[in-house]
Amino acid sequence: MTRRIAMKRSEINNAIDYVIGRLDDFKLPLPKFAYYTPEEWRNIDESEIELVDNMLGWDVTDFGSGNFLEKGLTVFVFRNGSFNNKEKYPKPYCEKLLYVRDGQILPYHFHWSKTEDIINRGGGDLELTIWQSDKNEEFSSEDITVTIDGKKVTIPAGGKVILEPGQSITLLPYQYHMWRGVPGTGDVLLFEVSTTNDDNVDNCFYESNDRIPQVEEDEEVKHLIFADYKNYIKIAK
């Protein structure tokens, strides 16, 4: 059995601080809850329960790699519906900031349910490698068709696509994808617009990867990630 490697709280705090600083450079404002302190989170009431129920806010992961800068991602979820409570939250879409550091990798995975547009909003280039999943959730040898900025493009199995700033790609369920910020081109300000998303149940990684990190509390919490909500927020489930 592979031992799970915990992320340090200091890594999570630093990753979010870094992205907040860089978003000032990109002139991208965030909603007020992006800056809530742990104490402010503790004291939210039922009027903001959607933040908790639908996992809005920050997330940081190194996918259990122990090396965040090599393999990792910083996420901010602006809006999301609900997989399990569509009557209360009928919103059928999700919007996320996916901040990719220069050279940083997101490992191979697909989604059973989610359709997503991955949009390069600025900064460096993003390289994606794409495979179709077969019925056994292995890489298929078949060519794969994706849509890039409204144009259907067929690429060979395991083919690569480069998204330059301003470009986007639509990824369908069962399409394995891995991406990397192209080294030397800078951090990538990536956005995702998708159908309703639940990262607890809709990620199939090709290799065993921890999407939701275990955390070693080596310093005080500065920014909550959504996995913290149940431990900090009085009204959390």
Side-chain angles (χ1 to χ4, degrees), residues 151-215:
K151 179 180 179 179
K152 288 192 178 300
V153 177
T154 300
I155 60 175
K160 297 183 185 298
V161 171
I162 300 291
L163 291 186
E164 298 176 351
Q167 291 188 296
S168 65
I169 186 170
T170 301
L171 297 171
L172 301 176
Y174 293 90
Q175 291 183 337
Y176 272 114
H177 49 287
M178 181 272 285
W179 69 53
R180 177 182 66 154
V182 176
T185 66
D187 296 352
V188 184
L189 185 66
L190 205 64
F191 267 65
E192 174 188 310
V193 176
S194 73
T195 51
T196 298
N197 173 231
D198 186 339
D199 276 318
N200 290 304
V201 299
D202 196 30
N203 292 298
C204 179
F205 285 94
Y206 187 70
E207 298 177 335
S208 178
N209 285 276
D210 293 323
R211 170 63 184 85
I212 311 300
Q214 291 185 342
V215 180

Side-chain angles (χ1 to χ4, degrees), residues 129-171:
T129 308
I130 307 172
W131 299 80
Q132 183 67 45
S133 170
D134 65 17
K135 63 182 180 180
N136 297 314
E137 298 182 349
E138 294 291 334
F139 292 155
S140 169
S141 61
E142 297 179 0
D143 289 352
I144 187 166
T145 298
V146 295
T147 303
I148 300 174
D149 294 330
K151 179 180 179 179
K152 288 192 178 300
V153 177
T154 300
I155 60 175
K160 297 183 185 298
V161 171
I162 300 291
L163 291 186
E164 298 176 351
Q167 291 188 296
S168 65
I169 186 170
T170 301
L171 297 171

Side-chain angles (χ1 to χ4, degrees), residues 2 8 21 33 66 88 98-99 107 127 138 141 157-158 167 169 212 215 227-228:
T2 302
K8 295 183 184 300
F33 68 88
K88 185 175 182 181
L98 309 171
Y99 196 93
E127 177 188 75
E138 294 291 334
S141 61
Q167 291 188 296
I169 186 170
I212 311 300
V215 180
D228 295 321

Side-chain angles (χ1 to χ4, degrees), residues 215-229:
V215 180
E216 177 185 333
E217 302 294 350
D218 65 324
E219 69 178 31
E220 292 295 318
V221 177
K222 185 175 181 181
H223 307 281
L224 266 61
I225 57 176
F226 71 70
D228 295 321
Y229 291 172

Side-chain angles (χ1 to χ4, degrees), residues 31 40 45 54-55 92 94 108 110 115 134 143 158 171 177 207 228 232:
E40 287 174 310
D45 61 27
N54 295 347
M55 300 181 292
C94 176
Y108 280 114
F110 70 73
T115 296
D134 65 17
D143 289 352
L171 297 171
H177 49 287
E207 298 177 335
D228 295 321
Y232 278 82

